[in-house]
Amino acid sequence: MATKLAKNGTYMEYIVIRPTFGFNLDQIATAILMYHSDTYDWKTNKTDKHNIRQFFHKYNTWNKIMGKVKDIILEEGMSRLDYAGENIDNYEAQMENVKQQIKDRFNPKIGTKK
């Protein structure tokens, strides 16, 4: 911890948080799906809106994706990831789609072992 002068002219106490864990591929994909899952029309079994495609078009680098994932997890909390599948249509298929896109396009090493 350190007391430093902020840009607005007041002294503030800053803390340093050192990471002790990371996010696995399932957690990253679930966080993305919490906010950007596709919507389905169950009568025709087709996708109404392709939100996942739009997400990967907007956040087209690994750093941008992880920045958004961190924002989602900070806003919702880690415990919300465990129950995200209850509110997402066709969760398993969308999860596989997001995981495959992450591995193929952005970070092929994620989820693998040395």
Side-chain angles (χ1 to χ4, degrees), residues 8-66:
N8 65 4
T10 60
Y11 285 94
M12 301 183 79
E13 185 67 24
Y14 289 89
I15 61 171
V16 176
I17 301 172
R18 302 203 191 290
T20 58
F21 66 95
F23 301 119
N24 64 30
L25 184 58
D26 288 337
Q27 291 170 325
I28 294 168
T30 302
I32 292 169
L33 286 176
M34 281 171 55
Y35 279 32
H36 302 281
S37 63
D38 290 341
T39 55
Y40 282 89
D41 181 4
W42 291 103
K43 293 178 184 174
T44 62
N45 285 334
K46 293 187 178 181
T47 303
D48 285 340
K49 190 169 181 187
H50 296 277
N51 294 325
I52 296 171
R53 186 182 307 155
Q54 291 172 353
F55 173 82
F56 284 117
H57 182 71
K58 183 176 181 180
Y59 301 98
N60 54 6
T61 65
W62 182 246
N63 288 337
K64 289 179 184 178
I65 290 170
M66 288 310 299

Side-chain angles (χ1 to χ4, degrees), residues 21-35 55 62 65-66 68-70 72-73 76-84 88 91 95 98-99 102 110-111:
F21 66 95
F23 301 119
N24 64 30
L25 184 58
D26 288 337
Q27 291 170 325
I28 294 168
T30 302
I32 292 169
L33 286 176
M34 281 171 55
Y35 279 32
F55 173 82
W62 182 246
I65 290 170
M66 288 310 299
K68 185 62 178 174
V69 166
K70 286 187 274 185
I72 292 169
I73 290 175
E76 296 292 333
M78 287 291 289
S79 61
R80 180 112 155 74
L81 291 177
D82 296 335
Y83 304 104
I88 299 171
Y91 176 72
M95 183 75 152
V98 170
K99 286 169 39 175
I102 289 171
I110 188 121

